[in-house]
Amino acid sequence: MLVNALMLLFVIFSHPSPRPTNDSYKIDIANAVVSVSGKVKTPSGQPVSYANVAVKGSVKGAFTDLEGNFQLFDLSDGSYEIEISAVGYKTMNQLITVVAGKLVNLEVVFEEEDVQMPQFAVIANRDRIFSKVPGSVDFLDKAEIKNLHPISGNEVLRRVAGVHVVDEEGAGMRVNIGIRGLDPDRSRSVLVLEDGVPVALAPYGEPEMYYSPAIDRMAGVEILKGSGQILYGPQTIGGVVNYITPNPPSEHEGAVRIQGGQGGFYSNLINYGNTFGNTGFQVNLLNKGAKNIGPTEFKITDFNTKFLFNFNEKSELGLKLGLYNESSNSTYIGINQVMYDQGGNDFARLAPDDQLDVQRYSVSFNHVYRFNPNVKLRTLAYGYTTTRNWNRQDFSINANNTPPANWTGVVWGDRSIPGGAIFMRNSTGNRNRQFAVGGIEPRLEVNHSLFSFKNELIVGARYLEEKALEQRINGTKAGVQSGNLVEDEQRDGKALSAYFQNSTDVSEKLSFNVGMRVENFNYDRNIFRRNFSGRGIRDTVLVAGSNITEVIPGAGFNFKPVKMVTIFGGVHKGFAPPRTKDAITSTGDALDLEAEKSWNYELGLRSVPTPWLFLEATAFLMDFSNQIIPVSESSGGLGFGVVNAGATRHQGLEGSVNIDISQLLNSKKWNVLYDVNVTYVNAFYNADRFISDININGNRTPYAPEWLVNSSLAVESNSGFGARLTANYVGAQFGDELNTIVPSVDGLIGEIPSYFLLDAVLSYKIAPWNSAFNLSIKNLTDERYISTRRPQGIRVGLPRFITAGFEINF
C-alpha cells in the first residue's frame, strides 16, 4: 500500500498545472532578471532566515536564505509595496520603484515585538531563525492555515513531519497527537501551549486534551521536537506544540470569514484590531458548529481579546482574556467490527443522548522590562478554569448476546454472531470534572560575552498550582444528568521548576546550546466517596500524597560548514510526571510509580541549495527506560491498573522537501509550490514484558504507524485564482500491545489498515474588494477507513465533505 501511495503521489505531483503559453513563461532560471535584492537582519545585525518577502497584489515572493538574503525576479517597471514578515518581529512594509529594469537594493532591520500578547514563542528567540534552533522545528503560518481551509486543527498538524494525529469525532475538538511513534491518546506525551500558556486540563497531574484551541482563529503553530524543549515543561517526551494567536495590529484591521457545508456545518469568525496611542487591542469571536459531521453534532462559541499597553521604552504589558463554550454529542462508544464489515452504520448515533459540555475561562499577563539593551526580564502569569461534564449512556456487550436487565430495547450490530451485539442500557454515567490552574513564570534574558564569545543566556523559574474536582453520578435512566453520587474526590498539585539555557557562538559557523531544568511536583488525592468492594458506596476520608523531583539536562549544536547548509543535533532527557490518579490508587495507596523517562537524540541537516529549494532530514532516537502506556477509558482501558510499561525504543527518519516551482521556471504570472514530508518510525518494546504469558519484547507499540507521508501542490495566479491538492498517507498500525492482526468482534483490537486521503481547495481572490471565495473538498476520493479503535469501538474517518466560504478584509 505504501508503494502504491508513493507512486500515486509521484504521478499527481510530477504533473503540475498546464504551462502557460505566453511569452512571460521561461524555463531557464538563468534568463531571469533580478529586480530587487536585499538582506533582512535583526537589530543586533544577525541575519533572519526564512523571513517571508511578498510583493503585495501579485504572486511574486521569496523567503530569505540562511544568510538573510533574498531576490525578487522580473518585476515590470512601476511602483510596488514589499511586505516582509517573520515570527516575533513587526511586519515591515517598504515602497519601491522599478525604473528601466534597474536593480533595487534593500536592507531591512526588523523591530522586535517584545510583548507577544502574552506569548513565549517556543522557537529559539522569538524569530524563525531555523539555523540557530538546536533541533527539529516547524512553523505553520497564518497563510498556510487559511489556504487549507481546515475543518479542524488536525489537518494543519499533519503538515509536519513526525506528527501523527488521530481523528476521534471528526471535528478535532479532542486532539490526539502522537510525535515520533508515541501514543496519541489525548496528546498526553505532548506539551500543548497557546501563546506559551499550558492548555491541558491539569498540566502535571492530568495532561489530557479535552479542550483544543480552535485553529480557525490562529495566526500560526510552532512544533518543536529537539533539545530546546527542555525550557517548556513539564513534559519533554515527544515535543511542544504552541498555538499562536494574532497580536494587535499597528493600525485598524479587521476581517469577517464565513464557511459552511454539508451536515449543517458552519464556521463564522469576526476579528478586529487597532492601536490608539500607546494601547493596542485585538478581539475575535468564533461561532462554529454542525448538525452532522460523521456522527457528531456540536456548537462552539469562542471569544478572545488581547491588549498591549506600552508604558515607556523600558516597560510593556500584555493582557489576554478568553471565553470558550462547547456542547456536543461526543461519545466513547463506537461501532463494532461486525457493523463495520457489514456497512451501513458507519456514522450511526449509538447513544444519541450522550452529551459533553466544556467551558473554559482564561486570563494571562505578559510583562517585559528592559534594564538595558542586553538584559531583559519577561514575566508571564496566567490562570484558567476548565469544566468538563460528560453524560454517557451505559451499554453492554457479551459473548452470548444476552440483554442486560435494564435494557432499553435498542440493540446495534448482529445478534446472530457471538459478541456481535451492543445492547444499550437504561442508565447513565455522568463524569463531571472541574479544573483550576494558575502559574507565574519570570524569565531573565541576558546577552553576554563570557570568554570573548557571543552568548545568549535564559534563566527562569515557574511556580504552578492545579486543582481537580471529580464526581461520578449514575443516572437510572438514559439521558438524565442527575442520580446517585458514587464517586467524589479532589486532586491537588504544586509544582516548582527552575531552568537555564545558554547559547554560545563559538564562531560564525558553530554554536552550542546547553541547558537544564529541575522539576519538583508535590501532589495528593483526597477521596470523599467511592464504591468499596463488598460494602457498596460509602462516604470516606482517604488522603494520600507523593512527590517527585527530576533533573532534566539537554544540549544541542548548529554547524554551518558551507553557506547554504546547517547541520544540527542534540540530546535531552525526556520527562513526564505520573498522572495523579495513576500514582495514588482509589483506596488511597501511593504506588511506587516512576515518572516517564527517556533519552532523546537527533541529528539533522537543513539546506537551501538554491532560492527555490528547501531540504531537511532528521534522524532520531528516543530510548525509554520507562514508558507509561495509558490505561484510561479514552485509550480503551478500564481507567486503572499498573502502568509502568518498561523499556521502549522509537527510532526513525524524517524528511521534508519544499520546491518553489514558479521560481525554478521563472513564471511571472503563476505561483506554484510543491512540498512533501515523509516519516519512518520503528517504535517497539525493548525489554521482556509479559501479557497473558506472551512476551511482547520486539512488538511495535500501539498506534505507531511505520510510515507517514503528507504532500501538497498549490497553484496561484496573478488574476486571483488558486488551487491546492493535499495528500495524506498513514501506514498500518496496531491497536494493542500484542500486535493482534485479526480484529476482535467488538472492534477494540486488531490491525488498523493503512489509508490514503486527498483534499482539494479552489479559491478566487477579488483584490478590489479585499475579499476571497473558496470551495473545499475533504477526502476527495471518499475513501472509507478506520481512523481509530478507541475509546470503545471503531471510529470511521470522515467521508467526502464539501464546504464553501467567503472572507472580506477591512
Side-chain angles (χ1 to χ4, degrees):
M1 178 65 185
L2 174 63
V3 174
N4 293 336
L6 292 175
M7 290 188 67
L8 181 56
L9 279 172
F10 175 79
V11 170
I12 292 171
F13 296 127
S14 62
H15 294 81
S17 59
R19 182 180 299 173
T21 57
N22 57 62
D23 294 337
S24 67
Y25 195 89
K26 302 177 184 178
I27 297 178
D28 187 358
I29 194 170
N31 294 328
V33 176
V34 179
S35 300
V36 181
S37 67
K39 187 178 184 70
V40 181
K41 301 185 296 184
T42 69
S44 61
Q46 293 296 310
V48 177
S49 307
Y50 311 110
N52 185 30
V53 182
V55 181
K56 298 189 73 172
S58 78
V59 297
K60 290 289 185 180
F63 284 102
T64 57
D65 62 19
L66 296 177
E67 301 298 321
N69 299 312
F70 69 91
Q71 291 180 328
L72 298 172
F73 296 91
D74 291 325
L75 292 178
S76 303
D77 288 357
S79 297
Y80 300 91
E81 183 178 359
I82 309 296
E83 183 176 87
I84 306 170
S85 59
V87 175
Y89 295 99
K90 295 180 180 179
T91 299
M92 307 290 289
N93 291 82
Q94 182 79 44
L95 295 176
I96 66 165
T97 301
V98 177
V99 180
K102 291 183 178 179
L103 177 66
V104 178
N105 287 301
L106 293 178
E107 184 171 293
V108 178
V109 178
F110 269 129
E111 183 180 346
E112 290 183 280
E113 262 186 346
D114 279 309
V115 175
Q116 303 227 348
M117 300 295 297
Q119 58 183 240
F120 283 168
V122 168
I123 294 177
N125 301 316
R126 308 160 312 279
D127 55 22
R128 197 181 168 197
I129 307 179
F130 286 121
S131 58
K132 282 188 168 290
V133 176
S136 179
V137 64
D138 288 272
F139 175 73
L140 301 166
D141 62 15
K142 184 177 181 179
E144 172 71 10
I145 296 171
K146 286 178 62 176
N147 290 338
L148 286 171
H149 297 287
I151 294 174
S152 76
N154 294 352
E155 300 170 53
V156 176
L157 294 172
R158 290 190 183 103
R159 300 283 294 138
V160 177
V163 177
H164 177 41
V165 189
V166 176
D167 279 324
E168 181 175 325
E169 78 293 302
M173 292 178 289
R174 251 62 59 198
V175 66
N176 297 282
I177 306 170
I179 293 180
R180 294 176 171 174
L182 293 173
D183 196 303
D185 181 57
R186 291 290 179 263
S187 307
R188 287 184 179 90
S189 297
V190 179
L191 176 61
V192 182
L193 310 171
E194 181 178 320
D195 291 335
V197 175
V199 170
L201 298 177
Y204 283 79
E206 203 155 344
E208 283 85 357
M209 290 292 294
Y210 282 94
Y211 156 79
S212 300
I215 198 66
D216 311 63
R217 59 182 177 85
M218 294 301 158
V221 183
E222 300 172 321
I223 300 94
L224 181 64
K225 292 168 278 185
S227 60
Q229 66 178 287
I230 66 169
L231 298 181
Y232 305 95
Q235 285 88 3
T236 56
I237 294 292
V240 180
V241 176
N242 186 37
Y243 293 87
I244 302 174
T245 60
N247 285 332
S250 57
E251 55 187 31
H252 80 90
E253 184 179 290
V256 176
R257 188 162 69 242
I258 299 172
Q259 195 82 11
Q262 292 176 268
F265 172 78
Y266 62 91
S267 176
N268 304 321
L269 177 70
I270 181 170
N271 62 69
Y272 181 77
N274 206 342
T275 295
F276 299 97
N278 294 330
T279 302
F281 73 94
Q282 169 78 30
V283 60
N284 67 68
L285 175 64
L286 172 66
N287 187 242
K288 186 175 182 179
K291 289 291 185 182
N292 189 16
I293 285 189
T296 306
E297 179 179 359
F298 72 96
K299 293 181 180 179
I300 291 174
T301 301
D302 192 359
F303 174 81
N304 282 267
T305 185
K306 287 182 172 183
F307 296 92
L308 174 60
F309 306 98
N310 188 352
F311 298 129
N312 50 53
E313 293 181 356
K314 288 182 174 291
S315 180
E316 296 175 4
L317 175 67
L319 166 65
K320 179 183 175 184
L321 302 170
L323 306 173
Y324 177 89
N325 186 77
E326 172 201 326
S327 180
S328 68
N329 70 329
S330 295
T331 183
Y332 266 23
I333 185 174
I335 65 175
N336 61 25
Q337 191 66 43
V338 175
M339 297 171 69
Y340 181 78
D341 293 340
Q342 293 178 349
N345 284 302
D346 286 358
F347 306 109
R349 292 184 177 175
L350 309 187
D353 295 322
D354 282 11
Q355 181 172 319
L356 173 61
D357 295 323
V358 179
Q359 292 85 36
R360 190 175 190 270
Y361 307 100
S362 61
V363 59
S364 54
F365 300 88
N366 185 10
H367 182 260
V368 173
Y369 186 82
R370 290 173 287 274
F371 295 94
N372 58 56
N374 294 317
V375 180
K376 185 183 303 180
L377 176 65
R378 297 177 181 271
T379 304
L380 176 66
Y382 53 86
Y384 61 90
T385 65
T386 309
T387 300
R388 194 226 75 169
N389 293 339
W390 205 336
N391 175 287
R392 301 205 300 265
Q393 185 177 358
D394 299 324
F395 60 93
S396 175
I397 301 173
N398 57 80
N400 298 322
N401 288 335
T402 302
N406 62 342
W407 179 33
T408 63
V410 176
V411 60
W412 297 96
D414 192 335
R415 298 183 68 176
S416 67
I417 298 175
I422 304 173
F423 299 95
M424 305 308 297
R425 303 175 63 178
N426 197 27
S427 59
T428 60
N430 295 280
R431 298 153 177 89
N432 299 335
R433 301 176 189 175
Q434 296 83 42
F435 300 85
V437 177
I440 184 168
E441 182 173 356
R443 173 183 295 190
L444 190 66
E445 300 176 4
V446 181
N447 296 321
H448 63 97
S449 54
L450 184 65
F451 304 123
S452 300
F453 294 122
K454 181 179 179 181
N455 291 264
E456 296 177 1
L457 173 66
I458 298 175
V459 180
R462 179 181 62 250
Y463 178 73
L464 183 145
E465 289 193 14
E466 59 185 36
K467 177 179 292 187
L469 304 174
E470 179 173 344
Q471 293 183 329
R472 175 166 177 144
I473 301 171
N474 288 345
T476 56
K477 290 186 178 181
V480 300
Q481 298 183 7
S482 60
N484 301 317
L485 178 65
V486 296
E487 295 176 8
D488 188 12
E489 66 175 83
Q490 176 176 318
R491 299 182 292 275
D492 298 290
K494 296 180 180 180
L496 181 62
S497 175
Y499 57 82
F500 82 89
Q501 179 173 282
N502 190 81
S503 175
T504 303
D505 291 342
V506 179
S507 68
E508 291 185 358
K509 293 186 175 182
L510 180 63
S511 65
F512 285 101
N513 283 267
V514 178
M516 184 174 67
R517 192 174 87 249
V518 179
E519 287 280 0
N520 176 261
F521 180 46
N522 287 279
Y523 54 95
D524 56 67
R525 186 176 184 182
N526 303 297
I527 300 172
F528 310 125
R529 187 174 177 86
R530 66 175 295 270
N531 192 352
F532 292 88
S533 178
R535 297 181 58 195
I537 300 169
R538 295 286 188 274
D539 289 330
T540 186
V541 179
L542 292 173
V543 181
S546 188
N547 68 83
I548 188 168
T549 300
E550 195 72 33
V551 177
I552 306 155
F557 75 92
N558 282 280
F559 176 56
K560 294 186 359 181
V562 295
K563 185 176 181 180
M564 290 298 142
V565 174
T566 297
I567 299 172
F568 60 88
V571 56
H572 73 277
K573 188 175 184 178
F575 165 80
R579 297 170 72 237
T580 303
K581 289 180 67 175
D582 295 330
I584 301 174
T585 70
S586 59
T587 57
D589 296 322
L591 300 178
D592 184 19
L593 188 61
E594 299 178 9
E596 193 167 14
K597 301 176 185 177
S598 67
W599 281 101
N600 299 356
Y601 310 85
E602 67 175 10
L603 179 65
L605 177 148
R606 61 175 66 95
S607 176
V608 186
T610 72
W612 49 266
L613 178 63
F614 171 84
L615 305 170
E616 182 171 327
T618 307
F620 60 86
L621 168 64
M622 296 190 295
D623 195 5
F624 284 87
S625 60
N626 179 47
Q627 183 177 163
I628 297 177
I629 303 298
V631 292
S632 61
E633 287 186 79
S634 64
S635 63
L638 298 175
F640 58 87
V642 178
V643 295
N644 281 329
T648 65
R649 177 170 289 183
H650 300 240
Q651 56 195 28
L653 295 168
E654 298 169 353
S656 300
V657 178
N658 298 324
I659 304 175
D660 188 337
I661 298 176
S662 53
Q663 191 169 1
L664 168 65
L665 301 178
N666 191 29
S667 173
K668 289 184 177 180
K669 296 186 176 181
W670 293 87
N671 191 20
V672 185
L673 304 173
Y674 170 68
D675 65 73
V676 60
N677 69 69
V678 181
T679 305
Y680 169 76
V681 180
N682 183 20
F684 58 95
Y685 294 96
N686 197 34
D688 291 341
R689 180 168 174 254
F690 292 86
I691 298 178
S692 301
D693 297 325
I694 299 175
N695 190 351
I696 65 171
N697 188 359
N699 281 15
R700 284 169 54 188
T701 59
Y703 288 86
E706 280 189 302
W707 289 96
L708 297 169
V709 182
N710 191 282
S711 189
S712 174
L713 177 68
V715 180
E716 184 181 11
S717 73
N718 272 332
S719 63
F721 169 78
R724 184 182 186 122
L725 189 63
T726 304
N728 188 62
Y729 171 81
V730 177
Q733 52 195 302
F734 292 109
D736 70 328
E737 298 156 303
L738 295 175
N739 289 183
T740 306
I741 295 178
V742 179
S744 59
V745 176
D746 60 15
L748 295 179
I749 62 174
E751 185 182 47
I752 300 175
S754 61
Y755 55 89
F756 178 77
L757 305 177
L758 285 174
D759 296 340
V761 176
L762 297 175
S763 61
Y764 185 70
K765 296 179 181 178
I766 306 175
W769 296 357
N770 290 324
S771 60
F773 295 88
N774 72 81
L775 176 68
S776 173
I777 307 174
K778 310 299 180 184
N779 193 0
L780 185 65
T781 61
D782 201 23
E783 176 158 341
R784 182 173 182 253
Y785 65 99
I786 297 175
S787 64
T788 180
R789 296 183 179 275
R790 293 172 174 171
Q792 295 171 337
I794 292 172
R795 303 300 178 98
V796 181
L798 199 66
R800 183 187 295 119
F801 197 83
I802 302 174
T803 68
F806 172 74
E807 178 179 1
I808 185 168
N809 296 276
F810 55 89

